Amino acid sequence: MLDDGQARTYKCKGDVASLVDFVGQQQHEGTLAIGHTRWATHGEPSDLNAHPHTSMNGKVILVHNGIIENYKELKEKLTRRGYSFKTETDTEVLANLIEYIYIRGNIPLEMAVRLALTKVVGAYALCVYTPENAETLVIARLGSPLIIGVGKGEYFVASDATPISEYTQSVIMLNDGDMAVLQREGLQLKNTLNQTLKPEVQLIDWDVENVALGSYDHYMLKEIFEQPRSIEDTLRGRIDGQKGAITLGGLYSVMPRLVNARRLIIIACGTSWHAGLVGEYLIEDLARIPVEVEYASEFRYREPIIYPDDIVLAITQSGETADTLAAIKLAKSKGALPLAICNVVGSSISRETVAGVYTHAGPEIGVASTKAFTAQVAVLALLALKLGEQRGTISPEDFRDGVDEILSVPSKIGKILEKNEEVKHIAESMYEARNSLFLGRGYFFPVALEGALKLKEISYIHAEGYPAAEMKHGPIALIDENMPVIIVAGKDKSYEKVVSNVQEVKARKGRVIAIVTEGDELIREMADYCIEIPHASFVAETLLAIVPLQLLSYHVALLLGRNVDRPRNLAKSVTVE
Ligand code: F6R
């Protein structure tokens, strides 16, 4: 909305950089602007279907993150009342619905939005204004995240704090059903019942340096290289090397229940699910508590058996993943104790759970999760050791060794990062492949899964992660001289077996890239390439083994000219179901 009283809309298919090119050098002065990078649900990605959407008579302009599930029915009703539609989106239906109520009722926009939302089934984070009153922005949230950044004489509205942390550290988190009206004079926050709420301003502790690219070419590379520091941040105040003690303050109130747990259910998606698998192995090994790891999306749509004495632990970087949020709500409704390991302070999942641990990895901007994964695994290792200590399932000596192992991780990762050039060279050997296989056993199986996910999401090379021993039950048929097989083969109790797997791959002319423990001459002789990692026990080995795979994916994607930080079709926070 410009100072000359005109609303101007620019839309463009593609990424934000394309929009910047499209808008070009045109400079506009104005006080209110809205924008949204759309996740295509209804209608293909196109300039027309892009946000903002304007209602038929131009009285309402809005951006919307979420899905209007009953959009067809609403569209039919509006069509009968003379409305026509330019796009295939559900959002345009919402714009027209608000406009219809706004014009017919001759009421303030806020009231029209409130009434329109009572007719909507679905999820939304919404920013709406009318060119008739360019000084007022109405926002609302249900199911999709929304926050307000409070600056000096200005407000920002966003899905999370990352994009606005450059401008302000003060934020107000909206709850489901909340609406707010932002004006020059201030803001008014209301709940579902139209009751005025006192806005609670929280400070986020992310500094500008955290969101700046600095000397790195990409956020993903920066975040991979940040890991020695981000893990130290995760561990700070939680592990005491001198006393040999672990303190998880966020779980203090629920520790007795955790220590006596009959079982623990971990729910997560994607990379966080892989961290959950590492957590399962660690907690079962060290604390002897049975753990089930579930994809949040599967858990919530089947009829899971949840007992009131169950503990359900969500693992999530963003704290906003729709499926994980819904799964935790389901677990809560069945009486289970909901906990979370989460990176974003004040996020929806952290507010939906009764206790938990923040990973403090700092904002993760690259779409492919790297430092958030290692932070999650570090927290799970602390939790497993703590529970093992409290339950008496590990000896004081093993507990002490575990503490020392974890404390040595940042410097060991530093050593792996020195091999960046070596990994880049290895990437040149595989970037032309169409398919790839990632294998690992025991603790290295989740690492193989995560390595495969990293490669496929940013390079678009098909990558499958498999338990190494399962290879002979099917995937071995794929192996020929064109197939890179990445084997995570650190020296642990299944090492000998993995050596046999390397031999099996070589016998079929597969190209082996192996992640091995320093000084491993046996696999070096057989493999085409080896990347060495420092020795570590099972408590910490996954934290080391994943790092070369993150670097490998990064370099392969770069060689293929991919948009490493913004891979196609993916979003950083998956707030759609
Ligand atoms: C992959 C990746 C995703 C996320 C998943 C869950 O690199 O980032 O697989 O791990 O979308 O997201 P969170 O952890 O925010 O719940």
Side-chain angles (χ1 to χ4, degrees):
M1 191 72 208
L2 308 182
D3 284 347
D4 61 10
Q6 300 294 308
R8 236 152 278 158
T9 305
Y10 298 97
K11 303 166 170 228
C12 177
K13 183 180 157 179
D15 55 17
V16 177
S18 322
L19 183 67
V20 172
D21 285 349
F22 177 67
V23 176
Q25 296 307 311
Q26 306 180 54
Q27 294 284 327
H28 297 308
E29 294 286 322
T31 49
L32 193 157
I34 56 175
H36 174 50
T37 45
R38 168 174 179 253
W39 174 282
T41 51
H42 300 75
E44 55 162 13
S46 67
D47 291 357
L48 191 65
N49 287 337
H51 294 225
H53 285 283
T54 305
S55 58
M56 191 175 83
N57 302 301
K59 302 246 185 247
V60 168
I61 303 178
L62 58 76
V63 291
H64 161 227
N65 178 30
I67 296 181
I68 307 301
E69 285 169 15
N70 60 337
Y71 83 104
K72 263 202 170 141
E73 179 194 321
L74 294 171
K75 194 171 183 172
E76 276 163 24
K77 281 190 185 156
L78 287 162
T79 308
R80 283 201 294 275
R81 288 172 171 84
Y83 268 88
S84 60
F85 297 82
K86 300 183 286 288
T87 78
E88 303 149 75
T89 65
D90 51 339
T91 300
E92 191 191 9
V93 176
L94 188 54
N96 281 336
L97 177 65
I98 296 172
E99 182 188 82
Y100 174 73
I101 296 172
Y102 176 65
I103 296 177
R104 264 201 76 153
N106 193 19
I107 49 177
L109 181 68
E110 181 210 346
M111 213 182 279
V113 173
R114 185 173 287 284
L115 286 174
L117 292 178
T118 61
K119 314 224 171 301
V120 159
V121 179
Y124 49 79
L126 207 59
C127 294
V128 194
Y129 79 96
T130 170
E132 293 181 340
N133 177 3
E135 301 267 298
T136 301
L137 182 70
V138 179
I139 66 172
R141 160 190 180 155
L142 186 78
S144 300
L146 199 63
I147 65 158
I148 302 169
V150 184
K152 287 203 180 85
E154 55 188 355
Y155 292 115
F156 304 87
V157 179
S159 293
D160 68 68
T162 322
I164 61 168
S165 57
E166 206 178 319
Y167 307 100
T168 180
Q169 306 273 299
S170 305
V171 298
I172 300 165
M173 313 274 181
L174 267 65
N175 288 313
D176 275 348
D178 285 357
M179 271 185 69
V181 179
L182 309 180
Q183 284 168 321
R184 201 179 281 278
E185 307 76 54
L187 71 87
Q188 215 192 2
L189 184 65
K190 290 188 177 173
N191 64 11
T192 332
L193 304 171
N194 206 9
Q195 293 160 329
T196 303
L197 304 171
K198 192 172 175 306
E200 227 180 90
V201 181
Q202 299 182 22
L203 275 185
I204 43 165
D205 59 357
W206 292 350
D207 56 29
V208 177
E209 189 207 324
N210 257 326
V211 287
L213 198 46
S215 57
Y216 290 95
D217 291 336
H218 298 96
Y219 280 105
M220 183 180 178
L221 190 64
K222 175 177 183 250
E223 286 157 8
I224 293 172
F225 271 80
E226 259 170 22
Q227 289 176 111
R229 198 190 76 189
S230 58
I231 293 177
E232 271 172 8
D233 289 344
T234 304
L235 300 180
R236 186 161 300 118
R238 292 175 171 155
I239 185 163
D240 185 328
Q242 304 226 303
K243 288 193 198 137
I246 291 173
T247 317
L248 292 169
L251 294 177
Y252 184 75
S253 60
V254 294
M255 221 10 130
R257 270 195 74 177
L258 270 166
V259 169
N260 295 304
R262 197 159 55 101
R263 71 166 175 169
L264 182 66
I265 302 171
I266 293 180
I267 48 174
C269 302
T271 288
S272 298
W273 187 83
H274 296 151
L277 275 190
V278 180
E280 174 186 15
Y281 288 22
L282 283 168
I283 294 167
E284 293 200 342
D285 262 356
L286 293 167
R288 311 303 298 154
I289 299 173
V291 180
E292 286 168 28
V293 187
E294 299 256 9
Y295 285 113
S297 52
E298 288 298 314
F299 179 79
R300 59 178 290 211
Y301 284 118
R302 53 188 188 78
E303 287 294 321
I305 298 169
I306 308 169
Y307 301 108
D309 64 346
D310 275 333
I311 299 176
V312 178
L313 173 67
I315 302 180
T316 170
Q317 185 285 126
S318 62
E320 301 296 350
T321 302
D323 283 321
T324 311
L325 180 59
I328 208 81
K329 284 184 179 167
L330 171 72
K332 220 171 138 178
S333 72
K334 306 265 179 198
L337 175 70
L339 306 178
I341 294 176
C342 181
N343 196 35
V344 180
V345 176
S347 56
S348 303
I349 292 173
S350 69
R351 281 180 288 149
E352 202 58 50
T353 45
V354 301
V357 185
Y358 283 120
T359 42
H360 295 313
E364 192 179 61
I365 294 173
V367 162
S369 189
T370 51
K371 64 174 181 172
F373 173 78
T374 45
Q376 290 165 344
V377 173
V379 168
L380 287 160
L382 294 183
L383 178 62
L385 280 167
K386 181 80 191 167
L387 291 175
E389 181 204 31
Q390 300 271 301
R391 287 166 61 88
T393 45
I394 49 169
S395 67
E397 295 73 34
D398 285 348
F399 177 78
R400 178 76 238 192
D401 287 349
V403 166
D404 291 342
E405 275 286 330
I406 293 179
L407 284 169
S408 70
V409 165
S411 67
K412 287 179 179 169
I413 291 186
K415 280 183 82 180
I416 299 171
L417 294 171
E418 287 168 15
K419 297 177 193 286
N420 187 30
E421 282 303 312
E422 197 185 309
V423 178
K424 187 171 165 186
H425 170 66
I426 297 172
E428 284 162 11
S429 78
M430 65 168 285
Y431 80 97
E432 286 169 319
R434 299 288 309 276
N435 299 292
S436 60
L437 199 55
F438 285 69
L439 303 175
R441 294 176 93 117
Y443 280 90
F444 295 127
F445 164 51
V447 175
L449 290 178
E450 175 58 9
L453 178 61
K454 284 291 87 82
L455 186 71
K456 76 182 98 171
E457 69 181 322
I458 60 167
S459 73
Y460 319 148
I461 294 175
H462 170 231
E464 270 194 67
Y466 244 83
E470 277 290 304
M471 177 179 71
K472 57 186 172 295
H473 298 289
I476 201 165
L478 297 168
I479 295 173
D480 62 15
E481 62 280 10
N482 299 316
M483 179 72 131
V485 182
I486 294 88
I487 305 190
V488 194
K491 277 216 171 124
D492 66 1
K493 60 184 178 197
S494 23
Y495 175 73
E496 308 299 335
K497 305 275 181 214
V498 179
V499 170
S500 309
N501 296 137
V502 175
Q503 278 161 336
E504 283 160 4
V505 174
K506 283 315 300 171
R508 286 154 186 86
K509 299 196 168 51
R511 283 185 276 151
V512 171
I513 297 168
I515 311 299
V516 296
T517 307
E518 262 165 10
D520 184 335
E521 292 307 323
L522 184 61
I523 293 188
R524 186 169 285 283
E525 271 176 23
M526 292 184 281
D528 297 73
Y529 298 95
C530 276
I531 308 168
E532 291 192 345
I533 57 171
H535 183 271
S537 80
F538 69 90
V539 177
E541 62 192 4
T542 51
L543 289 166
L544 307 186
I546 191 58
V547 178
L549 299 186
Q550 296 169 341
L551 286 172
L552 188 66
S553 306
Y554 172 78
H555 288 298
V556 169
L558 214 59
L559 286 162
L560 290 165
R562 307 298 190 220
N563 185 343
V564 178
D565 285 335
R566 295 269 167 269
R568 69 183 181 199
N569 302 340
L570 290 172
K572 184 66 192 159
S573 245
V574 185
T575 53
V576 287
E577 298 183 352

